[in-house]
């Protein structure tokens, strides 16, 4: 029992040490999309749930759009329960941290299924959880919560297509146990596939299904059974998660993902082949964490800024190489999987991706090819464990240990010569870079020089790791290291290497940063009305960067600039926003006219309920009042009030926001405005249309004096209800049929699966 539990205790300790600064909640994850996207989105979800209703609609961005259907809230993902059990900031940290512990545990279980020893399985778990890919996607929260389930998917898929061999002579009890185990494993497979989908990243489950197919075709002779089992598993999984899948599918059908599928867009953020060097020399071309060191002016437009680090280190790659040479069929499969994954990640840099884009269903809806690297890191983790197991078996072979130490020693000598050559020639390298980039600002030149110095440090670290590896093998050959100490030393060096590079991938901020109410937020929050604020595309681009004396101050300043999405916790509505998926109607109208709203007929801007405008420069327009001017660490912002904005709801002669014919702003008054419902009192001397500048979307319903009324699509993207003359109460509420249908299908699928498993178990 103790032998079985120590790896999980060790994983727990390693995870706690790795993320120790986040455990008390004083500091909160904040880098990249964590502070700008996931924190406000999850905060809104929790706020709506605690208000007593499902988090269905988000009225605070893009004139309103679905919330639950986007997948990003992970509302139905079981681990999201932590948000309701702990204070939000602490829950936000623990939600992330616990996934790394689980990732290591799940990889350990898969390796044990492959008959690896405890120490080899532990080694694979460490590599999977703490190498560059998984730590990079902490800020891509849904990628993290989906990819950690991959080891369990492969484990139960392998059991489903390769049940234990028949035992002869076979009695009834043995057949019963075998059949029951098969049904149970199939149920577990459905469960982990469902969790992977509910984790929120469709790309992960899409590529996992392809991996399952080729795994089955590689390791089962019954191809028909493999394909049949995969199709059945996929369909049942869709049924189980339909409560999330059907609303998501509805959103996709109304989104830009069905229209914006050009190859240039789909292949954005492809992995440049040159970045393969970052597998072993971290941040060779610059560090996304250090502003100015990884920019287009240095690298051209051939870069990607989605994945912060691809570092996995020398030791895992060394053992993966040993695993490739010495493990048979599965090592060949995982080598091929890693190679294919890297080729896919290259995206536009290889013709393979364009070919698959043309012929493979689904590829055209997935953006950022660099995402596909998760299969390579998964495969290398397994191959490393195979190699570790092989070394463990060869430990008594003194000749093999000696040869390994000689090869590693030779590698160390060659690397050392290279390192000293670089040290001697670094002044020439720096002069070359300075000459080549002398037109760049001094700050950028300084960053280039820092990159060169950093690479020299990385090279020295690589030399040290290779030396320690050579020393370990030689000491084992000479008998100075017992087997247990040898492997402990190897794992220790590997952990230190991964920690030294990857522990800095996620910047925290002080929890007070999230709580801070800045002057501009205070001005808007003090307004009791219902309104939106607006900024131009150039100001939005300015807001994408964090500028400040330090990271905390930079985040605070970005909040004061009303950066997209960060206003959700303050219930402030943004005409624009930040989302991974946009409604096609909104994109076709709002995005195309976004930059022109200030220069077009001002009645259009007024009709969009835009009361406040923030820009980098003062606006000299009629009926605009300058409220506040703020100087920041870099740049400034001017907050204006639009004195002629129209209310969120008003009456008009026709359902046309653009023409503005017959507008009567005083004929409608919002009595109650909630996240997914509102009540309006109308008073008109003649029949008219009640216009609401909230997004038209399926699932919204309306009543006039308690009687159901039709919601028309008001040109271009909003809602309208025809109202008779006189006084009336109009109520809008979001009641999506897609969610009800999904809930029904999920209930039937889950009940059917449970019934089948129980019935099969009783029969056996």
């Amino acid at each position: 029992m103790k032998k079985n539990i120590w790896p999980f205790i060790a994983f727990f300790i390693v995870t706690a040490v790795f993320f120790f600064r986040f455990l008390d909640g004083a500091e909160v994850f904040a880098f990249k999309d964590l502070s700008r996207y996931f924190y406000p989105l999850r905060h809104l979800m929790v706020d709506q749930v605690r208000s007593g209703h499902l988090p269905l609609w988000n009225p605070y961005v893009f004139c309103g759009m679905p919330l639950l259907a986007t997948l990003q809230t992970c509302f139905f993902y079981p681990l999201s329960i932590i948000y309701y059990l702990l204070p939000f900031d602490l829950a936000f940290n623990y939600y992330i941290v616990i996934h790394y512990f689980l990732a290591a545990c799940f990889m350990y279980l898969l390796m044990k299924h492959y008959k690896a020893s405890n120490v080899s399985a532990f080694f694979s778990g460490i590599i999977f959880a703490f190498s560059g890919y998984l730590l990079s996607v902490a800020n891509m929260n849904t990628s993290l919560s989906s990819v950690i389930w991959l080891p369990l998917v492969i484990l139960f898929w392998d059991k489903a297509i390769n049940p234990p061999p028949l035992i002869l002579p076979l009695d009834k009890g043995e057949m019963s146990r075998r059949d029951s185990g098969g049904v149970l494993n199939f149920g577990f497979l459905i469960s982990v596939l469902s969790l992977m989908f509910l984790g929120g990243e469709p790309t992960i489950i899409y590529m996992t299904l392809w991996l399952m197919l080729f795994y089955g075709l590689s390791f089962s002779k019954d191809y028909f059974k493999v394909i049949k089992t995969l199709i059945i598993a996929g369909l049942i999984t869709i049924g189980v998660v339909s409560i999330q899948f059907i609303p998501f599918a509805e959103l996709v059908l109304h989104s830009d993902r069905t229209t914006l599928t050009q190859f240039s867009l789909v292949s954005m953020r492809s992995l440049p082949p040159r970045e393969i060097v970052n597998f072993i020399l971290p941040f060779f071309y610059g560090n996304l964490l250090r502003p100015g060191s990884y920019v287009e002016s240095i690298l051209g437009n051939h870069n990607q800024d989605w994945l912060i680090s691809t570092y996995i280190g020398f030791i895992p790659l060394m053992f993966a190489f040993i695993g490739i040479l010495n493990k048979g069929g599965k090592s060949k499969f995982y080598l091929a999987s890693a190679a294919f994954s890297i080729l896919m990640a290259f995206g536009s840099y290889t013709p393979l991706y364009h070919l698959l884009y043309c012929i493979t269903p689904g590829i055209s809806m997935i953006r950022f090819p660099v995402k596909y690297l998760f299969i390579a890191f998964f495969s290398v983790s397994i191959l490393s464990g195979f190699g570790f197991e092989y070394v463990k078996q060869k430990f008594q072979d003194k000749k093999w240990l000696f040869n390994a130490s000689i090869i590693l020693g030779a590698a160390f000598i060659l690397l050392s010569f290279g390192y000293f050559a670089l040290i001697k020639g670094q002044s020439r390298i720096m002069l070359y870079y300075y000459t080549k980039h002398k037109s760049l600002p001094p700050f950028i030149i300084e960053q280039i020089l820092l990159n060169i110095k950093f690479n020299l440090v990385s090279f020295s670290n690589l030399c040290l790791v290779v030396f320690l590896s050579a020393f370990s093998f030689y000491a084992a050959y000479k008998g100075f290291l017992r087997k247990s100490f040898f492997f402990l030393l190897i794992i220790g060096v590997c952990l230190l290497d991964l920690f030294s590079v990857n522990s800095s991938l996620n910047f925290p901020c002080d929890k007070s940063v999230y709580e801070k109410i800045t002057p501009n937020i205070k001005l808007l929050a003090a307004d009791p009305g219902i309104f939106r604020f607006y900024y131009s595309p150039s100001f939005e681009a300015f807001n994408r960067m964090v500028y400040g004396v330090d990271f905390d101050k930079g985040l605070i300043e970005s909040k004061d600039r009303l950066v997209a999405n960060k206003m959700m916790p303050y219930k402030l509505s943004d005409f624009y926003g930040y989302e991974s998926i946009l409604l096609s109607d909104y994109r076709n109208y709002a995005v195309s006219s976004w930059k022109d709203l200030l220069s077009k007929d001002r009645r259009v801007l007024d009709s969009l309920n835009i009361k406040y405008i923030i820009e980098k420069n003062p606006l000299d327009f009629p009926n605009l009042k300058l409220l506040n001017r703020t100087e920041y660490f870099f740049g400034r912002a001017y907050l204006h009030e639009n004195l002629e904005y129209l209310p969120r709801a008003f009456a008009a002669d026709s359902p046309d926001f653009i023409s503005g014919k017959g507008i009567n702003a005083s004929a409608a008054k919002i009595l109650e405005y909630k996240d997914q419902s509102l009540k309006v009192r109308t008073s008109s001397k003649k029949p008219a249309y009640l216009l609401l500048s909230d997004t038209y979307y399926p699932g919204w319903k309306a009543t006039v004096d308690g009687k159901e009324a039709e919601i028309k699509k008001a040109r271009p993207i909003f809602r309208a209800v025809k109202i008779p003359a006189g006084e009336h109460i109009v109520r809008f509420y979001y009641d999506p049929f897609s969610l009800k249908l999904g809930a029904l299908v999920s209930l039937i699928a889950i009940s059917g699966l449970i019934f089948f498993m129980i019935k099969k178990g009783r029969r056996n």
Side-chain angles (χ1 to χ4, degrees), residues 451-504:
N451 281 353
I452 295 170
K453 291 180 180 179
F454 180 86
N455 287 335
L456 288 172
V457 173
S458 295
F459 210 103
S460 67
N461 289 341
L462 175 60
C463 291
L464 177 61
V465 170
V466 175
F467 170 76
L468 290 174
S469 300
F471 169 79
S472 299
F473 277 92
Y474 186 75
Y477 158 70
K478 296 295 288 184
F480 299 149
L481 279 179
R482 293 191 309 180
K483 181 187 286 190
S484 57
F485 287 111
F486 169 82
F487 290 113
L488 186 62
L489 178 60
I490 290 291
I491 292 174
V493 172
C494 181
L495 270 174
L496 286 173
D497 186 35
L498 291 174
F499 275 37
S500 65
V501 175
N502 293 333
S503 61
S504 63

Side-chain angles (χ1 to χ4, degrees), residues 191-330:
S191 299
V192 291
L193 282 172
S194 299
L195 289 167
M196 179 178 277
F197 177 81
L198 295 175
E201 178 48 77
T203 302
I204 302 297
I205 194 166
Y206 173 81
M207 288 304 296
T208 295
L209 291 172
W210 282 107
L211 185 66
M212 291 168 64
L213 173 63
F214 290 114
Y215 187 97
L217 296 178
S218 300
F219 299 114
S220 175
K221 295 180 181 179
D222 191 343
Y223 296 163
F224 176 75
K225 177 187 175 183
V226 167
I227 296 171
K228 181 184 73 171
T229 305
L230 183 61
I231 292 173
I232 293 173
L235 291 175
I236 295 176
T237 299
I238 290 173
V240 169
V241 302
S242 283
I243 193 169
Q244 177 70 80
F245 178 80
I246 292 178
F248 172 67
E250 179 182 56
L251 174 61
V252 170
L253 290 174
H254 288 85
S255 78
D256 56 0
R257 291 299 175 103
T258 59
T259 55
L260 297 179
T261 59
Q262 302 95 328
F263 182 73
S264 59
L265 183 64
V266 170
S267 60
M268 283 177 58
R269 292 179 172 85
S270 298
L271 180 75
R274 69 182 177 214
E275 291 197 15
I276 288 296
V277 70
N278 288 331
F279 278 65
I280 200 164
L281 286 173
F283 312 122
F284 188 82
Y285 294 100
N287 190 340
L288 282 167
L289 306 174
R290 193 172 70 240
S293 74
Y294 191 93
V295 292
E296 193 171 302
S297 55
I298 300 174
L299 300 174
N301 58 1
H302 301 295
N303 57 28
Q304 65 83 24
D305 58 0
W306 189 85
L307 196 67
I308 306 170
S309 170
T310 57
Y311 186 72
I312 195 167
F314 173 80
I315 290 178
L317 290 174
M318 174 184 70
F319 278 95
F321 181 75
I322 295 171
I324 291 167
L325 294 178
N326 300 287
K327 192 57 185 180
K330 284 191 170 58

